[in-house]
Each structure stands twice: as C-alpha cells, then as structure tokens.
Amino acid sequence: MPIQQNTYGRMVAFVNLWVLLIVYSMGTAVIALTFSSYLLSLFIDEAYPQFELVKKVVAAAAVILVIGICIYGTRLGVWVQNGFTVMKILALIFLVVIAGVFLGQGNLENISSGFAGSNLDVSDWSGAMLSSLWAYNGWTSINIIASEVKNPEKNLPRALIITGLSVTITYVIVNVAYHALLSTDQLIHSESIAVLAGETFFAQYGSGAVKFGRYFFAVSVALSTFGSLLSTVLSASRLPYAGALEKMMPGCFGLVSKRNKTPVTSLIFMGMTSFVCIWPSNIGSLIQYVGFLSWIFWGLCFLAVIVLRFKMPDTPRPFRVPLFIPVIAILTSLYLIVGPTITSPLTSGMWVLVTLVAVPVYYGYVDKERKCDVWMRKLTAS
C-alpha cells in the first residue's frame, strides 16, 4: 500500500487494499478447495453425486483449522508449513523420476501429442496465462510480510530471485512429467491430476501398486496444499492489520494477541471472507477472477517503479531495479488485462465494478475530509 499511496494517492491505495482483500480471500478458497479434492480422492470417487458439496464442506473446515493454527502462533504455522514443504519437494522429485521411467519404457504417445489441437490465436492466450501464472503467485506473499523479514534490503530480493527461478524450473519440469504420464483429455477433466498420474504409472505393477500410487500422491498433494494454505493465510492476515494501522480499516483489525503476538481479528476476518468465497464458485472460475483483479494493481505497482524514479529521485533505494524490467512487466499486465476484457467483457466488467465500489466506500468512510458528507450537505441544502 505505501508505494501506491506515494505514487497515486491515498484513494488508490485503499482501492488496492480492497482488491487485495478480495484476491486473497478467493485465493485462499482455491487452495482450500484443491486440498479438499486431493484429500477426498482417498475416500470418495469424483463421480459421487454430492462430491462438490462434500468438497466445499471439507475446504471450509480446512480454512477454520488453519485460522486456529495461525491464531495459536506464527511459529507453529511456520513449522507446519516448512515440514509440508519438504514433503512436497520429495513428492515432486518422485513424480519426475517415475515420469522419466515411464518415458524410458517407450510410452511417448502422450508427450508427442500434448500440443495437438492447440489454439494459436494470441488473443485467447491471456485467459490461459492468468490461470498458469497464478501458480507462481507466492512472490506477492513475500512482499506483504517484508516488514517482518530480517535485513530486507538483502534478503527480500535474494528470496524473490532464488524462489522465482527455482519454482519456475520445478513447475516446468513437473508439467512435462504430467504431460508424459497423462493425455490432454485427462489433464483437462481430472480433479486430482497427481493421483491419476500415480495410478497411470503404477498400473503396470498390479492393483497393490496402483493403490500405493493413489495414496502416496493424494496425501502428498493434500499436505502440500495445506502448507500453502497456511502461508497464504499468514500473509493475508497482515492486510487488514496494515489497513487498520493506516486508518483505512476499522481499528479493531489492528489488535494483536498479547500471548501469541498474532493479529487475531485480522485472521478471523480473512477466515470469514475466504469461507464465503468457497461456496458459490469452482476452482477454475476463482482462479480467473483472482488473476484478472491481481494484474490490474500489479500493473500499477510496476508503473510506480518508473513514476517514483522521477517523482522522488532523491529517495534512498537499497536496491535499484533496471527500468526494462518494469517496462516488460507493465506490457505483460496490459495484455493480461485487455485479453480477458475482449474475450469475456461481461465478466471482466463485473469485476471492474466490484473494484470501483471501493471508491464511494473510501470517500464515505475512510477519507479524512469526509468529502461524501460535504457533497451530501450540498445536495440537501439545495
């Protein structure tokens, strides 16, 4: 928020906070639903008539559990998250190994036809990119908790570069592994891709091996997404807290537990908003909404890097970003915003309106000068 406030003013900073609260609530819902899908794959077939309802109930319960863990203490949440991250890395390595073995056995039909029938219309790629780029969304969480990072001048850019590169390389390799093991149709329609990939590989070794593959990957991905859910909630809870400190949200969200040093009211608020987002939507639509809204304000953040170079040239900068990087990022943001607006104008327009609702809220309840009250008095006086 400070970068938008210094660049565009307090109102834009509030609208950004408004959007971030929506984005993180929906993002938390996506992760909770993914966790639920893989956990339920151990017990319920996707063809079960009430699968969607059960999935949402379990996802809601996961959000409540994570909020409880985070309220109890940040240290507990970090320990759980770190443990699950190690398990996730091991599971990904195992997946890549079995995919390599699968290809070595001569099973090349899936990987050779993976791009068959691809849409070559560049205007339609933006929607697919919004979904895929969401998988790399963790870098935003690092920035939100920057004030809690030791020696952020060195550790923050170091963390962004190392994790960005490592996650990109890992995800590309894992996606190649999925394409090696599964057909395009299976990738599109499966709720639990990793489980299906494990079953596909181990089918050649008998029913017992298939059961092992299903349970191993279902448990691994469920634990992985639970760890992601923890990290997302930990980061997201800082948004209402920071908003309260900036006088943009009610002061109650600035309360911190004396015993556990956690923003209890902020955690409860984010839990409630995420809980609501679970019920009306599916994972695919939520990811599209999250991506579209996010890139609007990320584009403004990238632009702010350039604007502040000229607006505040003498401000100390612990590290300087080469200007070509924000220029490329701004052009990418424009493409990701304009593309969905052209292909799905009604949906995009609806979410733009949801964003603009923040403007009257700001002038009515946040603006120190209470411009809304001034306007109302003028109207009633006339």
Side-chain angles (χ1 to χ4, degrees):
M1 285 183 294
I3 188 171
Q4 290 92 349
Q5 189 165 333
N6 291 331
T7 309
Y8 309 111
R10 187 172 168 80
M11 190 272 286
V12 175
F14 174 76
V15 177
N16 181 43
L17 174 62
W18 177 278
V19 170
L20 284 176
L21 291 173
I22 297 173
V23 164
Y24 270 88
S25 297
M26 292 194 292
T28 301
V30 170
I31 299 172
L33 288 167
T34 305
F35 162 78
S36 179
S37 294
Y38 277 93
L39 183 65
L40 289 177
S41 67
L42 295 169
F43 312 105
I44 303 176
D45 190 88
E46 291 177 12
Y48 176 65
Q50 301 300 322
F51 182 82
E52 282 297 315
L53 176 61
V54 176
K55 181 174 74 173
K56 291 180 178 182
V57 170
V58 173
V63 170
I64 295 172
L65 176 60
V66 165
I67 295 298
I69 292 174
C70 293
I71 288 175
Y72 183 77
T74 303
R75 181 171 296 181
L76 174 62
V78 170
W79 274 103
V80 173
Q81 178 189 341
N82 288 343
F84 288 171
T85 299
V86 172
M87 296 183 66
K88 172 169 59 178
I89 293 172
L90 293 176
L92 291 175
I93 293 173
F94 184 58
L95 174 66
V96 172
V97 169
I98 66 172
V101 173
F102 193 72
L103 290 174
Q105 294 170 340
N107 300 296
L108 304 175
E109 58 274 11
N110 291 331
I111 196 75
S112 60
S113 61
F115 293 97
S118 297
N119 186 350
L120 300 180
D121 188 349
V122 177
S123 62
D124 292 333
W125 291 358
S126 57
M129 288 181 67
L130 283 176
S131 299
S132 59
L133 287 172
W134 184 80
Y136 300 87
N137 203 25
W139 65 272
T140 60
S141 299
I142 297 177
N143 297 321
I144 289 175
I145 60 172
S147 61
E148 301 175 44
V149 175
K150 294 181 179 179
N151 194 9
E153 293 83 0
K154 290 185 178 180
N155 291 330
L156 195 61
R158 186 180 299 167
L160 287 168
I161 293 171
I162 293 174
T163 56
L165 290 174
S166 59
V167 168
T168 300
I169 294 169
T170 302
Y171 281 8
V172 170
I173 294 173
V174 168
N175 273 283
V176 171
Y178 282 140
H179 278 282
L181 291 162
L182 302 174
S183 67
T184 303
D185 188 64
Q186 289 174 312
L187 288 168
I188 292 173
H189 295 103
S190 176
E191 285 273 351
S192 308
I193 294 175
V195 172
L196 185 58
E199 291 176 339
T200 300
F201 175 78
F202 286 105
Q204 59 188 310
Y205 301 110
S207 58
V210 170
K211 188 175 182 180
F212 165 77
R214 180 171 64 252
Y215 276 80
F216 175 82
F217 283 107
V219 171
S220 297
V221 178
L223 294 178
S224 167
T225 49
F226 191 82
S228 298
L229 190 60
L230 268 170
S231 63
T232 301
V233 170
L234 279 171
S235 301
S237 66
R238 273 53 182 174
L239 292 170
Y241 174 77
L245 296 183
E246 293 289 336
K247 310 298 182 184
M248 292 184 182
M249 292 193 70
C252 62
F253 294 122
L255 298 177
V256 176
S257 168
K258 288 184 177 180
R259 174 181 295 180
N260 300 319
K261 308 299 182 184
T262 53
V264 177
T265 49
S266 293
L267 282 164
I268 294 173
F269 175 78
M270 293 305 301
M272 292 172 62
T273 55
S274 303
F275 187 91
V276 171
C277 289
I278 287 171
W279 301 100
S281 302
N282 58 47
I283 293 176
S285 60
L286 280 173
I287 291 176
Q288 288 290 319
Y289 302 153
V290 168
F292 179 74
L293 289 177
S294 298
W295 281 95
I296 292 175
F297 277 89
W298 290 343
L300 289 175
C301 287
F302 302 142
L303 179 61
V305 175
I306 300 175
V307 172
L308 290 177
R309 287 283 177 91
F310 300 95
K311 188 177 180 179
M312 304 170 65
D314 299 325
T315 300
R317 289 172 170 82
F319 54 90
R320 292 176 65 88
V321 178
L323 283 181
F324 75 89
I325 294 178
V327 169
I328 294 173
I330 291 166
L331 294 175
T332 303
S333 302
L334 287 173
Y335 172 69
L336 293 173
I337 296 166
V338 174
T341 303
I342 295 173
T343 56
S344 304
L346 290 178
T347 303
S348 301
M350 180 190 71
W351 285 105
V352 170
L353 288 176
V354 169
T355 301
L356 294 177
V357 168
V359 177
V361 172
Y362 172 80
Y363 284 117
Y365 298 97
V366 179
D367 181 34
K368 292 181 179 179
E369 298 178 4
R370 291 282 188 257
K371 289 186 175 66
C372 187
D373 293 343
V374 175
W375 295 339
M376 288 303 295
R377 284 196 296 270
K378 289 182 179 179
L379 288 172
T380 53
S382 59

